[in-house]
Amino acid sequence: MKSVPHFWFEPTPWVDGQWRRGMGEITVPNPATNLTLATVMRAEEELIQQAIEGADRAFAEWKRRSPVDRGNMLKRTATLMIARRDDLAALLSAEQGKPFAQALGEVDYAASFFQWFGEEARRSYGRVAAHPEAEREFFVEHKPIGVAGLITPWNFPLAQGAKKIAAALAAGCTAVWKPAERTPLIALAMAPLFTEAGIPKGVLQIVPARGAVVGKIFAEHPAMRVLSLTGSTATGSALMADAARSIKRVSLELGGNAPFIVLPDADLEFTAEHVLRLKLFVSGQVCVTANRIFVHESIEHEFLEILSHKLKNSVVGNGLAENVDAGPLIHRQACQDVDALVSQAISAGATLVCRNSTFERDPSLKEGSFYAPTLLSDVQDTMQIASHEIFGPVIPVLRYSSVADAICRANDTPYGLAGYVYGQDMTRCRAVARELEVGIVGVNEWRPLKAEIPFGGIKQSGIGAEGGEEGLHEFLCTQVISMPKPDLVR
Ligand code: ADP
């Protein structure tokens, strides 16, 4: 059993390089036991305003730094994270609930964004463009946009922050980071690492605070130039409405309803293993997780048998314990919400194939926020479970008879974040993948997201992209200077 490390940070807002007293308090429990881990001070309006103003002052100097310097600080942050990966992962597992091994994966994944954008910082290119008048020319330059407001959720509290911070700081912006109220500790734990990496005070401020309060202040403050949120579609819509009043740029990573298409020639053992890993990953509380598993009628029976065997043999328990495949949900309400979807599906005709309640064997988890991973078959498109983001470890299997029909049904949703295609004929897999109206498709791969590529949704799943070279552009604005050409002849 891993233990929670002694805190090397204060559980209070971090503004202008100092731990600051907040006003209210946030109680942070370990969702596996619901025992209190820490009490964190919340930043109220005045401190949030100060954080924005401090970031604005720091911007004047940070934007003039050489991109190589900025990049080196980000790469040092990555190195420091890897050096402390065990401590960071134990804290993350305790606060979020995910198994320690998944938390280690998140630390590495988060560090990869500091590494990637540390390298990308020096690759911001403008251009010289032709002017219609012979004696003039255009200079097109990409410049940091200003202070960025970064709002992150509790499912990947470290990685979602890392994606935004690394891109913003690489671009030359300064930032105010508002972590989710459920998971402020891992955010505050990063503050001493940023300082050690050489990032000057004020360049990154960390303010645990209420979402709606922060959204309004970020949207109204004139120094705030871009708002980047990862959260639900409803929150994205509320933030966009707030931002509309002052015409601020928004970058939104929102909800999904990912289809997972199992083609008739798929390797069923391999596919079932990947479906299970995907659905147990953070207990299904992932915007890109598979929400609807479309399985061809010719293989459905065998596929369900293999999958239920695997599901029954996995272990659900305390994330800090050894060899756990899935942890709890974030809170009790989440369990009730997932259960409502499952109950509605069953009463509308879905079949409960199996459940895994291994966590019940451990009495210390009695008060924890656990939901038994559940396999459902005979799920119909019209059921709520097929149209709502489940955000829990439920595997709904939907039968299909023609691939064209499966594609049509897969696209019949207002979301467009991720999709998965499993099969052995790569030409066919690629053809199916290209038809899916989503931002990213994994072919025989359940975790395609990496720092090297742009990830972003279409339709109601978001605006903009994170990662890749595109990630930098969320934090840059374009300026054109029209100049007379130098003339040596005259
Ligand atoms: P979840 O339901 O998964 O918690 P949310 O979309 O509610 O997802 O939360 C994601 C992040 O957005 C959190 O940091 C939350 O505090 C913040 N948030 C919630 N409501 C608003 C809002 N109206 N404006 C800005 N941020 C918000």
Side-chain angles (χ1 to χ4, degrees):
M1 185 90 166
K2 293 280 168 193
S3 52
V4 183
H6 288 297
F7 292 177
W8 60 90
F9 56 91
E10 301 283 326
T12 63
W14 169 261
V15 175
D16 294 337
Q18 288 181 331
W19 300 112
R20 300 287 296 272
R21 284 191 66 79
M23 295 286 282
E25 286 190 339
I26 308 168
T27 303
V28 183
N30 176 340
T33 56
N34 279 321
L35 297 173
T36 300
L37 264 180
T39 306
V40 173
M41 280 194 178
R42 185 190 276 130
E44 298 295 348
E45 185 165 346
E46 201 184 323
L47 189 53
I48 300 168
Q49 302 270 9
Q50 283 177 24
I52 299 172
E53 278 141 32
D56 193 32
R57 283 191 300 275
F59 179 60
E61 194 265 341
W62 184 247
K63 71 179 176 189
R64 292 198 159 77
R65 288 247 179 176
S66 137
V68 176
D69 277 359
R70 292 199 298 256
N72 284 340
M73 290 178 215
L74 296 175
K75 286 187 273 182
R76 271 203 293 278
T77 305
T79 307
L80 292 167
M81 290 174 77
I82 297 302
R84 295 208 75 155
R85 80 194 272 273
D86 270 43
D87 282 348
L88 287 168
L91 182 65
L92 179 53
S93 174
E95 179 179 44
Q96 203 283 334
K98 64 182 67 184
F100 181 71
Q102 292 181 18
L104 279 177
E106 181 171 345
V107 175
D108 295 347
Y109 181 58
S112 78
F113 282 88
F114 283 105
Q115 184 67 33
W116 170 261
F117 282 112
E119 292 160 8
E120 281 299 282
R122 64 201 298 175
R123 296 198 190 92
S124 171
Y125 304 110
R127 66 182 192 273
V128 179
H131 196 293
E133 292 166 26
E135 66 281 5
R136 300 188 73 84
E137 62 191 346
F138 288 124
F139 290 88
V140 182
E141 196 185 344
H142 302 298
K143 301 163 71 172
I145 189 166
V147 181
L150 313 177
I151 303 176
T152 54
W154 46 259
N155 56 351
F156 293 92
L158 184 57
Q160 305 288 12
K163 289 179 181 189
K164 297 182 193 302
I165 295 163
L169 269 51
C173 292
T174 55
V176 183
W177 179 17
K178 204 294 283 181
E181 288 206 81
R182 277 273 155 179
T183 52
L185 296 174
I186 194 69
L188 297 168
M190 285 296 292
L193 277 68
F194 289 129
T195 304
E196 203 181 331
I199 294 172
K201 64 177 189 182
V203 169
L204 181 72
Q205 320 272 40
I206 308 175
V207 290
R210 287 197 180 93
V213 173
V214 166
K216 291 242 162 4
I217 300 172
F218 279 10
E220 276 164 22
H221 202 292
M224 189 57 85
R225 293 293 161 78
V226 53
L227 308 181
S228 175
L229 164 86
T230 300
S232 60
T233 294
T235 303
S237 171
L239 186 68
M240 211 171 159
D242 286 342
R245 278 192 287 278
S246 52
I247 319 289
K248 291 211 196 310
R249 185 189 292 182
V250 291
S251 178
L252 305 171
E253 293 298 335
L254 308 175
N257 182 8
F260 189 117
I261 301 184
V262 187
L263 295 170
D265 68 344
D267 175 335
L268 297 188
E269 181 67 37
F270 173 83
T271 307
E273 180 64 29
H274 281 209
V275 167
L276 189 70
R277 276 197 226 165
L278 177 56
K279 289 290 345 193
L280 295 189
F281 188 54
V282 200
S283 295
Q285 303 168 111
V286 183
C287 52
V288 294
T289 199
N291 219 54
R292 296 167 293 156
I293 322 288
F294 291 98
V295 180
H296 192 261
E297 58 189 2
S298 63
I299 51 170
E300 189 194 10
H301 181 72
E302 195 185 343
F303 182 72
L304 286 171
E305 269 192 3
I306 300 172
L307 190 52
S308 60
H309 178 74
K310 285 181 184 293
L311 180 59
K312 281 185 217 146
N313 284 308
S314 49
V315 179
V316 186
N318 189 334
L320 291 167
E322 301 290 319
N323 300 324
V324 167
D325 299 304
L329 298 195
I330 194 68
H331 44 48
R332 286 282 177 87
Q333 183 61 45
C335 300
Q336 286 168 24
D337 294 347
V338 173
D339 198 49
L341 291 174
V342 169
S343 304
Q344 193 273 339
I346 292 172
S347 61
T351 305
L352 174 64
V353 181
C354 72
R355 277 201 150 128
N356 178 324
S357 307
T358 39
F359 57 89
E360 286 173 357
R361 294 182 202 147
D362 182 346
S364 73
L365 307 181
K366 220 166 142 263
E367 300 300 321
S369 304
F370 284 91
Y371 191 81
T374 301
L375 175 59
L376 295 177
S377 65
D378 299 312
V379 173
Q380 306 295 326
D381 298 354
T382 48
M383 295 174 181
Q384 277 177 20
I385 202 153
S387 56
H388 286 63
E389 194 173 31
I390 305 169
F391 244 57
V394 182
I395 312 176
V397 171
L398 296 86
R399 189 179 308 119
Y400 74 87
S401 43
S402 95
V403 175
D405 184 43
I407 294 169
C408 226
R409 291 163 63 194
N411 287 336
D412 188 15
T413 163
Y415 296 104
L417 199 56
Y420 304 85
V421 180
Y422 274 60
Q424 299 203 47
D425 174 347
M426 284 306 112
T427 308
R428 193 182 206 195
C429 284
R430 179 136 193 243
V432 174
R434 294 188 75 241
E435 292 299 321
L436 294 179
E437 296 167 355
V438 296
I440 191 163
V441 183
V443 172
N444 295 347
E445 188 186 12
W446 67 277
R447 190 93 190 101
L449 274 64
K450 301 283 182 280
E452 289 81 356
I453 41 126
F455 165 65
I458 56 174
K459 299 200 253 180
Q460 291 183 22
S461 288
I463 296 174
E466 292 187 322
E469 57 178 89
E470 291 84 349
L472 213 56
H473 282 269
E474 300 295 302
F475 299 97
L476 294 170
C477 55
T478 304
Q479 183 184 46
V480 176
I481 300 179
S482 172
M483 290 274 293
K485 280 184 187 159
D487 189 351
L488 288 178
V489 180
R490 264 189 307 220

